[in-house]
Amino acid sequence: MHSLLQAAQNSDNLKTIVGNTPVLWIESAPERGFWAKLEGSNPGGMKDRPALHMIERAKARGDLRPGARIIESTSGTLGLGLALAGTVHGHPVTLVTDPGMEPLMQRLLSAYGATVDLVTGPHPTGGWQEARRQRVRELLDRHPGSYCPDQYHNPDNVTAYAGLAHELLDQLGQVDVLVCSVGTGGHSAGVSRVLREYNPELRLIGVDTIGSTIFGQPARGRLMRGLGSSIHPRNVDYGGFEEVHWVAPHEAVHTCRQLARRHYATGGWSVGAVALVAGWVARTSPAGTRIAAVFPDGPQRYFDTVYNDEYCATHDLLGRPPAAGPQDLAHPAEREVDAWTRCATVIDPVAVAA
């Protein structure tokens, strides 16, 4: 009985280290700027929130039985969150990823007790993402009773971010503009829905990567991880977006490094892309507009990519600062973009194709 009580107390204690992350003022012009929500202050980053929430909801419904294996596809950050959730709730965790995952992340996940399963080749049409999802289905069949949270389509991934939204309200009061990277669509939908209960006029601006198909561009190989997709996640709230921006890798790298020098706060690809767009929004919005931008993670896992000069030089990412503002696109199908571009026509490619 004593050991069971200790385990329960340890689980409750672990959950307290997620959330209540700080905000930081990022000045982008004199008396203009935005508030960055530093989700890298969570142990594994922003996705600690949905990982814990999805597992707790699955257990409550009976979808995840005691001791059953959790199996999921991840490019990294959700994997850290699921490893934490597995520790908290006593479940083995298998994470399916691909060769693009940084060696540091693979080693960290193994150290946290997760099994890392690496797919060896991309799917012919769905790329690495679909290859990972197919491998998940194979492993689910191999392990009867196992459970996949399916972050791309699970509505619990959206509701998990209510806490983040309420933290922003406590820290900033009313939010006029929310700038979010988009991958699974979870945090942009979950945070904006709560914020709109307090400010129905909230503007939601999505940030994607070139080569991503989420908002109607053609799917291509992508250097940036953590945002973008080669599938169409159903958690994306297309109707909630005012506009979308696509950002290229060299633009994200430049912005990350500028953030590091000027503000001592930075992160990975998503952080650089979001900061670039949020800074422009701050410079071009009416004075007094309160802008919040979600920084999903910290810089640690990117020491060998974003912050590695040799890697960046190999991929031609250095010495190419972004333009002062984005190019404009009237419709996502107008042309394929290869640099920072914005579009105020936001479509659901699946609905358009139906």
Side-chain angles (χ1 to χ4, degrees):
M1 181 68 71
H2 179 67
S3 61
L4 287 174
L5 179 61
Q6 268 192 327
Q9 289 173 337
N10 183 52
S11 295
D12 289 340
N13 185 52
L14 279 172
K15 287 189 283 187
T16 65
I17 62 178
V18 176
N20 297 311
T21 55
V23 291
L24 177 69
W25 175 252
I26 306 291
E27 187 175 74
S28 54
E31 299 184 5
R32 295 294 180 94
F34 63 92
W35 291 97
K37 182 69 165 160
L38 304 181
E39 286 292 282
S41 297
N42 289 310
M46 178 182 68
K47 290 192 176 181
D48 287 348
R49 298 179 189 261
L52 285 168
H53 184 71
M54 287 189 293
I55 295 310
E56 287 164 2
R57 295 306 305 146
K59 287 173 71 69
R61 289 190 299 265
D63 295 339
L64 176 60
R65 300 298 177 88
R69 181 170 294 274
I70 299 166
I71 303 173
E72 177 64 297
S73 163
T74 179
S75 63
T77 310
L78 182 74
L80 292 173
L82 287 174
L84 172 61
T87 299
V88 168
H89 295 288
H91 293 272
V93 176
T94 295
L95 301 167
V96 178
T97 189
D98 60 63
M101 177 182 276
E102 303 86 346
L104 171 66
M105 284 296 294
Q106 294 185 39
R107 292 168 189 155
L108 267 179
L109 291 169
S110 295
Y112 288 142
T115 299
V116 179
D117 189 296
L118 203 68
V119 297
T120 56
H123 185 273
T125 56
W128 289 108
Q129 215 158 12
E130 185 56 32
R132 297 198 316 251
R133 285 166 56 80
Q134 286 192 352
R135 178 60 175 162
V136 166
R137 290 191 285 270
E138 292 172 9
L139 291 172
L140 289 170
D141 289 339
R142 184 181 299 177
H143 297 278
S146 56
Y147 172 74
C148 175
D150 191 10
Q151 61 170 324
Y152 304 102
H153 310 304
N154 187 342
D156 292 336
N157 184 16
V158 175
T159 57
Y161 290 103
L164 194 161
H166 285 292
E167 288 171 25
L168 281 174
L169 290 166
D170 289 341
Q171 291 164 322
L172 305 180
Q174 178 170 301
V175 177
D176 301 309
V177 182
L178 177 66
V179 184
C180 292
S181 56
V182 184
T184 67
H187 83 277
S188 54
V191 177
S192 64
R193 286 177 190 175
V194 174
L195 293 183
R196 283 197 170 111
E197 294 174 11
Y198 297 85
N199 178 15
E201 302 304 315
L202 174 83
R203 293 173 59 213
L204 174 62
I205 297 177
V207 182
D208 201 357
T209 171
I210 61 170
S212 166
T213 191
I214 293 176
F215 291 99
Q217 284 278 300
R220 302 287 185 238
R222 303 188 310 280
L223 200 60
M224 296 204 283
R225 297 173 70 84
L227 74 167
S229 178
S230 50
I231 63 174
H232 297 108
R234 301 323 300 155
N235 279 331
V236 178
D237 181 12
Y238 289 97
F241 289 97
E242 185 89 8
E243 60 188 68
V244 61
H245 291 238
W246 294 272
V247 174
H250 68 276
E251 296 161 332
V253 164
H254 179 88
T255 308
C256 279
R257 293 182 175 212
Q258 289 296 306
L259 278 170
R261 292 190 188 99
R262 296 175 181 174
H263 299 282
Y264 206 75
T266 187
W269 302 109
S270 296
V271 168
V274 165
L276 175 65
V277 173
W280 176 81
V281 173
R283 294 191 300 273
T284 57
S285 295
T289 303
R290 187 158 296 185
I291 302 158
V294 180
F295 283 13
D297 57 15
Q300 293 84 355
R301 65 178 284 197
Y302 305 98
F303 82 102
D304 215 21
T305 52
V306 173
Y307 303 100
N308 182 321
D309 286 352
E310 183 177 349
Y311 174 92
C312 289
T314 298
H315 293 279
D316 192 24
L317 305 180
L318 297 176
R320 301 173 62 196
Q327 304 172 38
D328 282 304
L329 204 63
H331 189 278
E334 180 182 326
R335 60 181 170 82
E336 185 172 352
V337 301
D338 59 4
W340 182 18
T341 305
R342 69 181 283 270
C343 184
T345 302
V346 180
I347 64 165
D348 177 348
V350 174
V352 169

